[in-house]
Coordinates of all heavy atoms in Angstrom, one line a residue:
L294 N -9.6 -34.8 19.3 CA -9.2 -34.0 18.1 C -9.7 -32.5 18.2 O -9.2 -31.7 17.5 CB -9.6 -34.6 16.8 CG -8.9 -36.0 16.6 CD1 -9.4 -36.5 15.2 CD2 -7.4 -35.9 16.6
S295 N -10.7 -32.3 19.0 CA -11.2 -31.0 19.2 C -10.4 -30.2 20.3 O -10.6 -29.0 20.4 CB -12.7 -31.0 19.6 OG -13.5 -31.6 18.6
A296 N -9.6 -30.9 21.1 CA -8.9 -30.3 22.1 C -7.7 -29.4 21.6 O -7.2 -29.7 20.5 CB -8.3 -31.4 23.1
P297 N -7.4 -28.4 22.3 CA -6.3 -27.5 21.8 C -5.0 -28.2 21.5 O -4.3 -27.8 20.6 CB -6.2 -26.4 22.9 CG -7.5 -26.4 23.6 CD -8.0 -27.9 23.5
R298 N -4.6 -29.2 22.3 CA -3.4 -29.9 22.1 C -3.2 -30.5 20.8 O -2.1 -30.5 20.2 CB -3.2 -31.0 23.2 CG -1.9 -31.6 23.2 CD -1.8 -32.7 24.3 NE -2.6 -33.9 23.8 CZ -2.1 -34.9 23.1 NH1 -0.8 -34.8 22.7 NH2 -2.8 -35.9 22.8
T299 N -4.3 -30.9 20.1 CA -4.1 -31.5 18.8 C -4.7 -30.7 17.7 O -5.0 -31.1 16.6 CB -4.9 -32.9 18.8 OG1 -6.2 -32.7 19.2 CG2 -4.2 -33.9 19.8
A300 N -4.9 -29.4 18.0 CA -5.4 -28.5 16.9 C -4.4 -28.3 15.8 O -4.7 -28.0 14.7 CB -5.8 -27.2 17.6
Q301 N -3.1 -28.4 16.2 CA -2.0 -28.3 15.2 C -0.9 -29.2 15.5 O -0.8 -29.7 16.7 CB -1.6 -26.9 15.1 CG -1.0 -26.3 16.4 CD -0.6 -24.9 16.2 OE1 -1.0 -24.2 15.2 NE2 0.1 -24.3 17.2
S302 N -0.1 -29.5 14.6 CA 1.1 -30.4 14.8 C 2.0 -29.8 15.8 O 2.3 -28.6 15.9 CB 1.8 -30.7 13.5 OG 1.0 -31.3 12.6
V303 N 2.6 -30.7 16.7 CA 3.6 -30.2 17.6 C 4.9 -30.2 16.9 O 5.1 -30.8 15.8 CB 3.7 -31.2 18.8 CG1 2.4 -31.2 19.6 CG2 4.0 -32.6 18.4
A304 N 5.9 -29.5 17.4 CA 7.2 -29.4 16.8 C 7.9 -30.7 17.0 O 7.7 -31.4 18.0 CB 8.0 -28.3 17.5
A305 N 8.6 -31.2 16.0 CA 9.3 -32.4 16.1 C 10.3 -32.4 17.3 O 11.0 -31.4 17.5 CB 10.1 -32.7 14.8
E306 N 10.5 -33.5 18.0 CA 11.4 -33.5 19.1 C 12.9 -33.5 18.5 O 13.1 -34.0 17.4 CB 11.2 -34.8 19.9 CG 9.9 -34.8 20.7 CD 9.7 -36.0 21.5 OE1 10.6 -36.9 21.5 OE2 8.7 -36.1 22.3
P307 N 13.8 -33.0 19.3 CA 15.2 -32.9 18.8 C 15.7 -34.3 18.4 O 15.4 -35.3 19.1 CB 16.0 -32.4 20.0 CG 15.0 -31.6 20.8 CD 13.7 -32.4 20.6
A308 N 16.5 -34.4 17.3 CA 16.9 -35.7 16.8 C 18.1 -36.1 17.7 O 19.3 -36.1 17.2 CB 17.3 -35.6 15.4
E309 N 17.9 -36.6 18.9 CA 18.9 -37.1 19.7 C 19.1 -38.6 19.5 O 18.1 -39.4 19.3 CB 18.6 -36.8 21.2 CG 18.5 -35.3 21.5 CD 18.2 -35.1 23.0 OE1 18.0 -36.1 23.7 OE2 18.2 -33.9 23.4
P310 N 20.3 -39.1 19.6 CA 20.5 -40.6 19.3 C 19.8 -41.4 20.4 O 19.7 -41.1 21.5 CB 22.0 -40.7 19.4 CG 22.6 -39.4 19.2 CD 21.6 -38.4 19.7
S311 N 19.2 -42.5 19.9 CA 18.6 -43.5 20.8 C 19.2 -44.8 20.5 O 19.9 -45.1 19.5 CB 17.1 -43.6 20.5 OG 16.4 -42.4 20.9
T312 N 19.0 -45.8 21.4 CA 19.5 -47.1 21.3 C 18.3 -48.1 21.3 O 17.4 -48.0 22.2 CB 20.4 -47.5 22.4 OG1 21.6 -46.7 22.4 CG2 20.9 -49.0 22.2
L313 N 18.2 -48.8 20.2 CA 17.1 -49.8 20.1 C 17.7 -51.2 20.2 O 18.7 -51.5 19.5 CB 16.4 -49.7 18.7 CG 15.2 -50.7 18.5 CD1 14.0 -50.3 19.4 CD2 14.8 -50.6 17.1
A314 N 17.2 -52.0 21.1 CA 17.7 -53.4 21.3 C 16.6 -54.4 21.2 O 15.5 -54.1 21.7 CB 18.4 -53.5 22.7
V315 N 16.9 -55.5 20.6 CA 15.8 -56.5 20.4 C 16.4 -57.9 20.8 O 17.5 -58.3 20.3 CB 15.4 -56.6 18.9 CG1 14.3 -57.7 18.7 CG2 14.8 -55.2 18.5
R316 N 15.7 -58.6 21.6 CA 16.0 -60.0 21.9 C 15.2 -60.9 21.1 O 13.9 -60.9 21.3 CB 15.8 -60.2 23.5 CG 16.3 -61.6 23.9 CD 16.3 -61.8 25.4 NE 16.6 -63.1 25.8 CZ 17.9 -63.5 26.0 NH1 18.9 -62.7 25.7 NH2 18.2 -64.8 26.4
W317 N 15.8 -61.8 20.3 CA 15.1 -62.7 19.4 C 15.0 -64.1 20.1 O 15.9 -64.4 20.9 CB 15.9 -62.8 18.1 CG 16.0 -61.5 17.4 CD1 17.1 -60.6 17.6 CD2 15.1 -60.9 16.5 NE1 16.9 -59.5 16.8 CE2 15.7 -59.6 16.2 CE3 13.9 -61.2 15.9 CZ2 15.1 -58.8 15.2 CZ3 13.3 -60.4 15.0 CH2 13.9 -59.2 14.7
Q318 N 14.1 -64.8 19.7 CA 14.0 -66.2 20.1 C 15.1 -67.0 19.6 O 15.7 -67.9 20.2 CB 12.7 -66.9 19.7 CG 12.5 -68.3 20.2 CD 11.3 -69.0 19.6 OE1 11.3 -69.1 18.4 NE2 10.4 -69.4 20.4
S319 N 15.6 -66.7 18.3 CA 16.6 -67.5 17.6 C 17.9 -66.8 17.6 O 18.0 -65.6 17.2 CB 16.1 -67.7 16.2 OG 17.1 -68.2 15.4
A320 N 18.9 -67.5 18.0 CA 20.3 -67.0 17.9 C 20.7 -66.8 16.5 O 21.6 -65.9 16.2 CB 21.3 -67.9 18.7
S321 N 20.2 -67.6 15.6 CA 20.6 -67.4 14.2 C 20.1 -66.1 13.6 O 20.8 -65.5 12.7 CB 20.0 -68.6 13.4 OG 18.6 -68.6 13.3
V322 N 19.0 -65.6 14.0 CA 18.5 -64.3 13.6 C 19.5 -63.2 14.1 O 19.9 -62.4 13.3 CB 17.1 -64.0 14.1 CG1 16.7 -62.5 13.8 CG2 16.1 -64.9 13.4
A323 N 19.8 -63.3 15.4 CA 20.7 -62.3 15.9 C 22.1 -62.3 15.2 O 22.7 -61.3 14.8 CB 20.9 -62.5 17.4
A324 N 22.6 -63.5 14.9 CA 23.9 -63.6 14.3 C 23.9 -63.1 12.9 O 24.8 -62.4 12.4 CB 24.3 -65.1 14.2
T325 N 22.8 -63.3 12.1 CA 22.7 -62.8 10.8 C 22.6 -61.3 10.8 O 23.2 -60.6 9.9 CB 21.4 -63.4 10.1 OG1 21.5 -64.8 10.1 CG2 21.3 -62.9 8.7
L326 N 21.9 -60.7 11.7 CA 21.7 -59.2 11.8 C 23.1 -58.5 12.0 O 23.2 -57.3 11.7 CB 20.7 -58.8 12.8 CG 19.3 -59.2 12.5 CD1 18.3 -58.9 13.7 CD2 18.7 -58.5 11.3

């Protein structure tokens, strides 16, 4: 926290679309979602 990199907040990264995928143990969870 004393290092220059964290002396102030960095600019937020551009809001580019991302894809989030999750593999569940249960097929019923996936079907409900």
Side-chain angles (χ1 to χ4, degrees):
L294 297 182
S295 297
R298 187 181 72 88
T299 55
Q301 59 183 12
S302 296
V303 297
E306 293 184 355
E309 297 180 357
S311 291
T312 300
L313 182 69
V315 178
R316 182 173 179 82
W317 304 88
Q318 184 192 56
S319 169
S321 64
V322 171
T325 302
L326 292 175

